[in-house]
């Protein structure tokens, strides 16, 4: 067993003590409130600490990965053997064995050619999210190009299943300091959840100083939930522990220990991500891209499924929508009746200080949360409030 009983008891006592200190408007992390209309009331089995974590999947094919798909040319994608349907079904079967629901961010290009796999995802009880259409980095697009790409992908997904799609993840986590404008576009297009920010330093993505816990962001069109990819703090740096190539790189016992620390020591849920092609060691080896890109892509593919079996048996998982239902009671926030966007007068940003497409931005805690005593850090370094609101401001 990963966590000794005494450790679990101490952690639960600490969480209970913190919950007792909360005012009426702040929900403790383990409290299950009334679900939103898109959150299922049937919850998965209990995990080590009772916290529900988010399992997410980026549905794209092996030749569409950044550093490979852009080099072979998107107009040539149809020339390659598609393995995304079989690999997605393989992952669906794995999740079904463990009775776990997940959020699947499907690439619009895949939905365009394989609408039945989109329907299979929803029929299996999972939450559907949008991954854009062409798997293009957001910071290489204009706001108009990004909006068109997102609309095209979202409309294909909604037409395939006949229900709204309100969750989004950027290709290659490409919402960075100079593309924070994309959050406004997402909210304007009706999205309610984003999972695009990675609080690390990386050559292609990342906002190192971003809030690592789930939170909300005030945009020009209202509040948007943000679920950053999970990191742990080591030696003054944020270390990625949330899936993908990092999951394939680390021994599974390390991953379980790291993710367990997020639940046990920080008292918050983690977000895990994986791609269907990562369960496919037989995929063709493409001789394009740099040595680094190929090494990242093909590393330890043969062990992914075995590692997943171990991890899925250790923690409690659900969709992003389910995690929101556990985190937050929208009807009890003391500020909920106040407008939360800068356009309605409650933003602490200086008027005109929002970044432009050509400039960098930053995320800062909004003024209403700054004056709330329950935005302070608890003994484990995390905020007592599970739904703090941040806003985008100029980095200048």
């Amino acid at each position: 067993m990963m966590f000794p009983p005494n450790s679990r008891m101490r952690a639960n006592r600490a969480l209970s003590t913190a919950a007792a200190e909360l005012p009426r408007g702040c929900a403790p992390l383990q409290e299950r409130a009334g679900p939103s209309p898109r959150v299922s009331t049937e919850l998965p089995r209990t995990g080590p600490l009772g916290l529900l974590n988010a399992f997410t999947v980026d549905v794209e094919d092996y030749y569409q990965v950044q550093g490979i798909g852009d080099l072979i040319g998107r107009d040539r994608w149809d020339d390659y053997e598609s393995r995304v349907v079989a690999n997605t079904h393989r992952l669906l079967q794995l999740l079904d064995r463990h009775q776990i629901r997940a959020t699947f961010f499907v690439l619009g290009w895949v939905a365009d050619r394989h609408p039945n796999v989109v329907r299979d995802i929803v029929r299996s009880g999972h939450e559907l999210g949008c991954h854009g259409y062409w798997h293009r980095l957001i910071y290489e697009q204009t706001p108009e190009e990004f909006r068109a790409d997102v609309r095209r992908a979202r409309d294909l997904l909604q037409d395939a299943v006949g229900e709204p799609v309100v969750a989004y993840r950027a290709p290659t986590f490409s919402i960075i300091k100079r593309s924070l404008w994309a959050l406004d576009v997402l909210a304007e297009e009706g999205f309610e959840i984003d999972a695009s920010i990675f609080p690390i330093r990386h050559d292609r993505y990342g906002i190192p100083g971003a809030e690592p816990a789930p939170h909300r962001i005030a945009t020009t069109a209202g509040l948007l939930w943000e679920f950053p990819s999970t990191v742990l703090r080591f030696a003054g740096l944020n270390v990625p522990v949330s899936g993908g190539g990092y999951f394939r790189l680390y021994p599974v016992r390390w991953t379980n220990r790291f993710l367990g620390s997020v639940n046990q020591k920080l008292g918050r849920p983690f977000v895990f991500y994986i791609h269907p092609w990562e369960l496919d060691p037989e995929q063709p080896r493409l001789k394009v891209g740099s040595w680094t890109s190929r090494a990242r892509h093909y590393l330890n593919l043969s062990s992914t499924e075995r590692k997943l079996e171990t991890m899925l048996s250790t923690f409690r998982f659900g969709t992003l929508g389910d995690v929101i239902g556990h985190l937050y009671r929208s009807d009890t926030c003391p500020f909920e009746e106040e407008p939360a966007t800068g356009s309605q007068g409650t933003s602490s940003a200086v008027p005109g200080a929002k970044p432009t497409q050509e400039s960098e931005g930053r995320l800062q805690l909004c003024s209403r949360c700054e004056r709330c005593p329950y935005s302070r850090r608890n003994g484990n370094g995390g905020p007592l409030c599970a739904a703090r609101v941040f806003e985008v401001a100029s980095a200048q």
Side-chain angles (χ1 to χ4, degrees), residues 27-68:
L29 291 179
Q30 288 186 269
E31 180 175 346
R32 170 65 182 176
S36 73
R38 296 188 180 94
V39 179
S40 172
T41 57
E42 181 186 354
L43 297 180
R45 66 200 186 318
T46 302
L49 292 178
L51 289 177
L52 188 66
N53 306 289
F55 192 99
T56 66
V57 183
D58 294 353
V59 181
E60 62 200 49
D61 226 325
Y62 64 96
Y63 50 80
Q64 295 168 326
V65 177
Q66 194 68 33
I68 294 178

Side-chain angles (χ1 to χ4, degrees), residues 100-270:
I100 286 172
R101 289 189 310 276
T103 300
F104 281 72
F105 295 100
V106 181
L107 195 66
W109 191 94
V110 171
D112 205 357
R113 285 151 180 79
H114 307 290
N116 283 337
V117 77
V118 179
R119 299 183 187 105
D120 290 341
I121 289 168
V122 173
R123 275 196 292 262
S124 298
H126 301 287
E127 181 179 59
L128 190 61
C130 177
H131 199 38
Y133 188 90
W134 282 114
H135 208 267
R136 291 182 59 197
L137 297 171
I138 292 179
Y139 52 81
E140 293 182 351
Q141 302 178 63
T142 66
E144 294 74 20
E145 290 171 336
F146 173 64
R147 189 186 301 272
D149 181 86
V150 167
R151 280 183 178 177
R152 183 179 182 185
R154 179 204 58 202
D155 291 351
L156 281 166
L157 294 169
Q158 292 184 159
D159 290 346
V161 299
E163 62 182 49
V165 173
V166 298
Y168 176 82
R169 173 174 284 152
T172 319
F173 303 104
S174 54
I175 292 184
I176 61 174
K177 287 182 179 180
R178 68 176 188 268
S179 56
L180 286 169
W181 51 262
L183 297 170
D184 285 338
V185 175
L186 290 173
E188 290 164 7
E189 290 299 318
F191 288 93
E192 301 172 5
I193 303 170
D194 178 66
S196 303
I197 293 178
F198 214 140
I200 62 169
R201 296 187 185 277
H202 191 277
D203 59 340
R204 291 186 184 138
Y205 54 83
I207 303 179
E211 169 64 32
H215 56 280
R216 297 179 296 167
I217 296 176
T219 75
T220 56
L223 291 174
L224 184 72
W225 272 97
E226 180 62 45
F227 281 78
S229 293
T230 301
V231 297
L232 276 180
R233 194 78 173 165
F234 288 113
L237 296 174
N238 286 344
V239 177
V241 296
S242 48
Y246 308 105
F247 180 66
R248 290 182 282 119
L249 173 65
Y250 305 147
V252 69
R253 66 182 182 276
W254 288 18
T255 297
N256 283 353
R257 178 174 295 180
F258 295 153
L259 296 178
S261 293
V262 176
N263 280 174
Q264 184 180 28
K265 295 182 179 179
L266 300 181
R268 66 174 184 242
F270 61 79

Side-chain angles (χ1 to χ4, degrees), residues 8 56 67 125 134 167 239-240 259 266 276 291 330 344 357 363-364:
R8 292 203 306 275
T56 66
W134 282 114
V239 177
L259 296 178
L266 300 181
W291 178 89
S330 62
Q344 296 176 349
Q357 182 187 348
L363 290 166
Q364 64 183 26

Side-chain angles (χ1 to χ4, degrees), residues 285-353:
R285 262 45 177 182
L286 302 177
K287 299 186 182 302
V288 295
S290 65
W291 178 89
T292 302
S293 294
R294 295 196 302 273
R296 287 172 178 165
H297 186 90
Y298 298 116
L299 177 69
N300 294 337
L301 293 176
S302 61
S303 63
T304 304
E305 189 164 3
R306 172 181 54 79
K307 289 180 176 180
L308 281 174
E309 290 276 8
T310 300
M311 189 193 69
L312 293 174
S313 300
T314 304
F315 298 100
R316 187 184 184 198
F317 287 103
T319 68
L320 288 171
D322 283 338
V323 175
I324 289 175
H326 278 251
L327 279 175
Y328 178 59
R329 292 187 59 176
S330 62
D331 60 336
T332 58
C333 176
F335 299 113
E336 197 63 25
E337 294 182 359
E338 298 182 18
T341 66
S343 63
Q344 296 176 349
T346 62
S347 171
S348 63
V350 177

